[in-house]
Amino acid sequence: MGAPESKKCVVLGVTGGIAVYKACVLLRVLQKQGIDVYVIMTKNACRFVAPLTFETLSGHPVAVDTFERPATWEVEHIALAKRADLFLIAPATANILAKMACGIADDMLSTTVLATRAPVMVAPAMNTGMWDNPATQENLAVLTRRGVHVVSPATGHLACGDQGAGKLEDVSVIAARAMEVLSASRKDLSGLRIMVTAGPSREALDPVRYITNRSSGKMGYAIARAAARRGADVTLLTGPVALEAPQGVRVLRFTTTQELYELALAHAGNQDILIQAAAPADYRAQEIAQQKIKKQRGEDFVLRLIENPDVAAALGKDKRAGQVFVGFAAETNDVLEHAQEKLRKKNLDMIVANDVTREGAGFDVDTNIVTFVTQDGIESLPLMSKDEVAERIVSRAVALRAYIVLSAVAYARRTFFAFFGPIRGKKS
Ligand code: PMT
């Protein structure tokens, strides 16, 4: 069975070189971005890392050219060529670059890459002398002219002992470039305005202490990234987190829940979709001490807290027709009941409920286990990377908006004909 429609597929070609082990990490990084990865190895690559490693990591059989070709070989390489949304070869040897430049198809990898119509990216890794050789550089120039994306190697200390260019670029850089190419092909949300909230709030107690929670911002940032990748106009309201701002996203920062409240109210009016993954504190200190609070010499210290505004509920009151508001619920018990109650009370269109007691879900981890709760029902998703969950949330919110807009049009049509239908009937 192929990948589900929302899941992009990368065919990862692995050629022989010491950097083959890094391709295992690259595969994992891509999977964390919600990508389904299929691997093709050359015979030489198998000398460095066994296909079983890639098979286990990818969850798919690894295609290797063994010269003992099964009857299905021809079909298999065409199927992989067609399945790819991106064909990525990393590490790419001088040999595969030369074959690609000349159109040679003499093994599984070179044949499949010749057959694919997907964008192709290569991340070369080789000895400095081989990299600098005019033959390699000319081959690269040919490939670049044909539209092949090249992630040039880094400079550094090479495994062969040389110092210079030829080191496989960092896998995070290769993965980021791959994601850019993948997303460039699907800008289906351009023109849509999406506001995302992320991270915790901090409520000061005195000049050195504050109340906060364990939100890292990872979930909200992943949503902002996913929406921006698909071309949406994204505004991210973020609490204090240690994350890099996603590219192409308008970032507005808050520290306290009150600041989030003011920012959100000022900007929500012209948004189409609002996704509230932030974890704002429900309470703040009634008074913030001007100086550091000192020990009470054996006495209990009583902190009086007052309630913060409920941002989601306030926004829900002013929701315009056609806007879709999604909230989160971080729960430790009776997850669905609490989620349904929040859906209603905050006038939301969907709640993403996470049971934060479950391993791999909720605060600070890179994965999540969520359930979508809407007025029409619930849908539970398995453990996924936050990037993948983000993709699903964005797609769901967009689908909800399409449904709401279409329902409004259908209602307007019914109303129109209810008024004008009889008049037209009299005339005829
Ligand atoms: O940031 P990460 O480490 O990646 O973790 C992700 C997450 C667990 C923080 C995230 O997935 C999540 O569940 N966010 C909501 C956390 C939360 O505050 O839940 P809540 O049940 O208290 O709030 C429900 C909804 O109301 C949320 O959409 C929240 O943004 C909103 N809210 C809450 C309190 C408040 N005063 N105003 C609000 O608008």
Side-chain angles (χ1 to χ4, degrees), residues 317-329:
K317 284 196 183 117
D318 288 342
K319 189 163 62 169
R320 276 190 292 109
Q323 282 188 311
V324 165
F325 286 3
V326 176
F328 270 71

Side-chain angles (χ1 to χ4, degrees), residues 99-133:
K99 284 198 214 176
M100 287 167 72
C102 296
I104 293 173
D106 65 350
D107 64 6
M108 184 70 173
L109 179 60
S110 54
T111 310
T112 315
V113 74
L114 192 65
T116 194
R117 292 183 195 281
V120 176
M121 179 179 279
V122 291
M126 63 196 74
N127 160 272
T128 305
M130 293 168 84
W131 172 250
D132 288 339
N133 191 298

Side-chain angles (χ1 to χ4, degrees), residues 331 333-341 353 371-373 378 380:
E331 302 294 345
N333 60 292
D334 304 319
V335 179
L336 293 180
E337 289 80 349
H338 288 309
Q340 272 151 349
E341 194 188 341
T371 301
F372 292 162
V373 181
I378 62 166
S380 296

Side-chain angles (χ1 to χ4, degrees), residues 215-217 219 276-278 282 309 311-312 328 342 346 354 364 386:
S215 171
S216 63
M219 190 68 252
Q276 303 171 77
D282 286 324
V311 184
F328 270 71
K342 282 175 183 168
K346 301 186 188 219
N354 26 205
D364 206 18
K386 279 186 175 163

Side-chain angles (χ1 to χ4, degrees), residues 390-418:
E391 282 284 351
R392 298 288 195 101
I393 293 170
V394 170
S395 294
R396 215 15 151 64
V398 169
L400 274 171
R401 182 165 183 276
Y403 176 76
I404 289 170
V405 170
L406 285 176
S407 305
V409 171
Y411 175 77
R413 274 172 66 94
R414 276 200 307 277
T415 314
F416 179 86
F417 287 119

Side-chain angles (χ1 to χ4, degrees), residues 119-120 142-149:
V120 176
V142 168
L143 295 177
T144 309
R145 251 196 335 267
R146 289 182 196 149
V148 171
H149 303 268

